[in-house]
Amino acid sequence: MEQLLRDGLSTLGLPEDGIPALLRYAELLVEKNKVMNLTAITEPADIAALHFLDSAALLALADLRGKTVVDVGTGAGFPGMPLRILEPSIQLTLLDSLNKRIGFLKEVCDDLGLTDVNCVHGRAEEFAAAHRESFDIVTSRAVATLPLLAELCLPLVKEGGYFLSMKAVDSDEELRAAAHAIRVLGGAVEKAVDYAIPGTEIRHRLVFIKKVQKSPEKYPRAFAKIKKNPL
Ligand code: SAM
C-alpha cells in the first residue's frame, strides 16, 4: 500500500508526509471493520485507491488550504479524513448520522493525534439549524442523490463557498435533475471535473457547486419531506 500511495500522491502533485498516518488509519479501519460495518473495501490496494487516493484527488482539484470543511455523511471518514491528514491546515468537521461510525472516527483522531478534528454525530438537516452558512466547503461522497444532497448540504455553505459533491462520471442526468434544487438553495454549478484515480482506470467526477446567495430559511426540511418531495 505504501508504494501505491507514494506513486498516487506524486501523480496528484501532493506531498508524501501524510503516508504514515494513512497507513495507520488503514490498519485501524481494517481492524475495526471486523467488528463493525464500516466499509466493503478491505484489500490494501483498494483502500489506497478507492478510499485514500479518490479522497486525495480533491486536494489536486480544489484549494482547501486553511478552509473550514464539513464532510457530510462521512461514514468511515471519506473523503474528510484523508483530506485533513494530507492538508493539516484544513479545519475539519466530520458529520454522520450513525454514532458508531463517529465513535470509530474519534478513535482514529485520538490515535493519530488529530486533536482539532470535530467528529459530530447528527443528521445534516438537523445540524444545519445551528450551523447554517458556516463552512467554506462542504464535501460528500456516496450519501444521496444530488437533488436531496443539495438540500442537506448547501444550507451549510457560506456565501462564496462551495459544495463539492463526489459523483460518478455518468451523473449527467442526476445533475440535470438537481438543477432546480441547486438554484432554489442559492447554489450554481460552476463546473464538473472528471478525474482519474491514480494507478487505476477508474474515473470519478467532482461537481463544484458555488454558494452564490443565502439558502432560504425554510430549508433544509425534515428528511422525510426532502425524500418524499425533492425540490
Ligand atoms: N462518505 C463515505 C464514503 O464515501 O465512504 C460514507 C458513505 S455511506 C454509503 C453514507 C453515509 O452517510 C452513512 O455513514 C450514513 O450514516 C450517512 N448519512 C446518510 N444520510 C445522512 C444525513 N442526512 N446526515 C448525516 N449523515 C448521513
Side-chain angles (χ1 to χ4, degrees):
M1 177 183 293
E2 186 169 350
Q3 195 55 46
L4 285 171
L5 289 174
R6 218 171 274 290
D7 294 345
L9 292 174
S10 152
T11 303
L12 292 169
L14 299 172
E16 297 180 349
D17 327 18
I19 290 178
L22 290 175
L23 294 174
R24 177 68 184 142
Y25 179 19
E27 259 176 36
L28 295 168
L29 178 65
V30 169
E31 198 50 41
K32 194 58 131 189
N33 203 46
K34 291 177 184 158
V35 293
M36 176 188 293
N37 177 19
L38 286 170
T39 179
I41 296 165
T42 51
E43 287 302 314
D46 294 338
I47 293 177
L50 300 173
H51 281 329
F52 293 163
L53 295 174
D54 190 30
S55 301
L58 268 66
L59 294 171
L61 297 170
D63 183 3
L64 302 185
R65 285 172 297 175
K67 299 275 167 53
T68 51
V69 176
V70 58
D71 187 22
V72 168
T74 190
F78 305 109
M81 192 69 100
L83 295 177
R84 169 60 183 77
I85 289 171
L86 294 165
E87 180 47 70
S89 70
I90 289 175
Q91 297 166 57
L92 179 66
T93 299
L94 297 169
L95 177 69
D96 202 280
S97 53
L98 261 190
N99 200 21
K100 61 178 189 166
R101 293 190 173 148
I102 291 299
F104 165 69
L105 292 169
K106 285 182 179 160
E107 285 173 28
V108 174
C109 288
D110 283 349
D111 191 283
L112 299 180
L114 304 176
T115 50
D116 59 348
V117 174
N118 196 12
C119 299
V120 180
H121 170 225
R123 299 196 59 89
E125 63 276 19
E126 291 161 8
F127 183 74
H131 300 89
R132 55 188 310 118
E133 321 277 340
S134 305
F135 293 88
D136 298 316
I137 303 284
V138 177
T139 55
S140 81
R141 185 182 82 161
V143 176
T145 59
L146 200 48
L148 276 65
L149 269 183
E151 186 164 345
L152 296 177
C153 295
L154 271 170
L156 297 170
V157 186
K158 280 182 192 166
E159 264 180 282
Y162 286 87
F163 168 32
L164 301 178
S165 181
M166 298 173 76
K167 286 287 163 191
V169 284
D170 63 359
S171 54
D172 290 353
E173 185 45 46
E174 189 178 338
L175 255 103
R176 265 193 292 278
H180 176 70
I182 291 169
R183 199 170 44 248
V184 169
L185 291 154
V189 175
E190 189 172 273
K191 58 185 175 179
V193 182
D194 294 349
Y195 61 91
I197 300 179
T200 76
E201 304 279 294
I202 300 166
R203 293 180 69 76
H204 283 165
R205 173 173 291 176
L206 185 63
V207 185
F208 289 69
I209 303 171
K210 186 164 186 178
K211 187 76 175 277
V212 291
Q213 55 189 43
K214 284 199 166 61
S215 303
E217 287 287 335
K218 61 180 171 182
Y219 304 116
R221 298 164 291 165
F223 191 71
K225 285 196 179 147
I226 299 176
K227 195 145 191 236
K228 191 165 173 227
N229 269 317
L231 281 169

